[in-house]
Amino acid sequence: MSPLPPTPLFAAERAAVLVSCALSCSGSALLLCSHARWPELRTRPRQLLLYLSLADLLSALSYFYGVLRDFQRSSWDCVLQGAVSTFANTSSFFWTMAIALYLYLSIVRGSPAGSGWLWGFHAVSWGVPLAITVAAVALRKIGYDASNVSVGWCWVDLEAEDRLLWMLLTGKLWEILAYVTLPLLYILIKKHINRAHAALSEYRPILPGAPALQPRASIADKKLILIPIIFIFLRIWSTVRFILTLCNSPAVQNSVLVVLHGIGNTFQGGANCIMFVLCTRVVRARLLALLCCGHCAQLGWPLQGSRGSWQQPQPHQDKDKDKDKDKEKEVPSPEQSKLLSST
């Protein structure tokens, strides 16, 4: 079969992907700033999230340049952009799986990963993508791909004879493994949490603190379910176009599929920001306090610096907080509860 012609990118498609890149850059930057601004929030899961945000930020920047240029042939900046996006995108896969593995070890196995595990995560999540990218560039496998397996940016040169091997090594293999590994780990975590809730329910009549933890546990449960679902929803479109390209199907040039692929590959940083900043009560409260401090001062509302949140004074609030703290101390596994709430 003759190879497919290059996929044309229309102005609306490019604009949608560029907006997604900009939102992802902003979301990753917000995650990095929140980590730097509030040291008390630097738990181990959020430390791993910091490295994931760095990879997503670099990935979104490289994709932004690629979509803006809309390469029509191989060139030095095409190879450079393809190398950076390959490294950052592959690293993002590894850090995403590292976070899932850390949560599994901490919650299910009950043995939080120490510094040795962290150095191992660094070695794999940065080292393996770097080695693959350097090999691909040295062997001249990165280049123009006619936007059939990308959306304007450069990746594996479609003229390479062993392009399938390098497409797998530079992203698709790790992407497909993540489709299997992430749901499996999060299902095991969810089942463990459900068993813990069932065991705790027997003691709720004598443990008044158990109902107090239910809202936080419920939010954590929803996040644990959403993490693999969002990842798969964002990434599946690039896998679909990859398979269609291998099958030489003209459906790979479908405009809706092209836009979904472009947004899915570039919006990971934005999705992480929504999940772990905007939908995390502690971080969201601090952001509101930071953004609205001047407005609150004009209204005469006190800012509680230790909590990082702002609200109107309520006479019984301090007593309720003290009671909640006493109740939480009575509930088993406080470290796991802290881990879930921070996640």
Side-chain angles (χ1 to χ4, degrees), residues 105-276:
L105 292 174
S106 301
I107 296 174
V108 178
R109 295 298 181 183
S111 54
S115 58
W117 277 95
L118 182 59
W119 284 111
F121 290 152
H122 277 293
V124 173
S125 300
W126 298 124
V128 173
L130 181 61
I132 293 173
T133 303
V134 170
V137 173
L139 296 174
R140 298 184 179 181
K141 304 300 179 181
I142 303 295
Y144 175 61
D145 61 4
S147 292
N148 290 331
V149 284
S150 69
V151 186
W153 57 79
C154 291
W155 187 35
V156 175
D157 191 347
L158 288 183
E159 298 295 327
E161 294 182 358
D162 52 353
R163 57 186 177 275
L164 176 58
L165 172 63
W166 285 100
M167 285 179 185
L168 291 173
L169 288 177
T170 56
K172 293 306 170 186
L173 175 62
W174 319 114
E175 187 175 79
I176 295 170
L177 285 177
Y179 292 155
V180 178
T181 305
L182 289 178
L184 178 61
L185 289 176
Y186 283 111
I187 287 172
L188 293 174
I189 294 171
K190 186 73 168 63
K191 289 177 65 176
H192 178 81
I193 293 174
N194 289 340
R195 286 196 297 266
H197 286 174
L200 186 61
S201 64
E202 300 179 7
Y203 300 96
R204 280 176 183 164
I206 60 175
L207 285 178
L213 286 181
Q214 286 181 4
R216 285 191 298 173
S218 177
I219 293 173
D221 285 353
K222 291 177 181 178
K223 283 187 179 181
L224 292 177
I225 295 172
L226 287 175
I227 288 171
I229 291 177
I230 291 176
F231 176 85
I232 293 174
F233 178 78
L234 289 176
R235 294 292 181 172
I236 194 65
W237 312 110
S238 64
T239 305
V240 170
R241 290 193 75 215
F242 167 69
I243 295 173
L244 291 175
T245 300
L246 295 182
C247 298
N248 216 39
S249 171
V252 74
Q253 299 183 348
N254 181 274
S255 295
V256 175
L257 201 56
V258 170
V259 171
L260 289 173
H261 177 188
I263 294 176
N265 265 43
T266 58
F267 194 64
Q268 189 67 50
N272 290 336
C273 178
I274 293 173
M275 286 282 292
F276 300 107

Side-chain angles (χ1 to χ4, degrees), residues 16-73:
V17 180
L18 287 173
V19 169
S20 176
C21 290
L23 291 175
S24 188
C25 290
S26 301
S28 298
L30 186 58
L31 276 164
L32 298 176
C33 291
S34 65
H35 187 86
R37 177 67 176 80
W38 297 296
E40 64 273 15
L41 298 180
R42 296 174 188 173
T43 59
R44 184 55 59 84
R46 287 194 166 273
Q47 190 176 359
L48 299 178
L49 183 63
L50 170 71
Y51 306 128
L52 173 61
S53 300
L54 286 172
D56 288 334
L57 178 60
L58 186 60
S59 178
L61 288 173
S62 64
Y63 284 143
F64 186 91
Y65 179 78
V67 177
L68 195 62
R69 285 277 282 111
D70 189 14
F71 294 104
Q72 303 298 322
R73 60 181 180 83

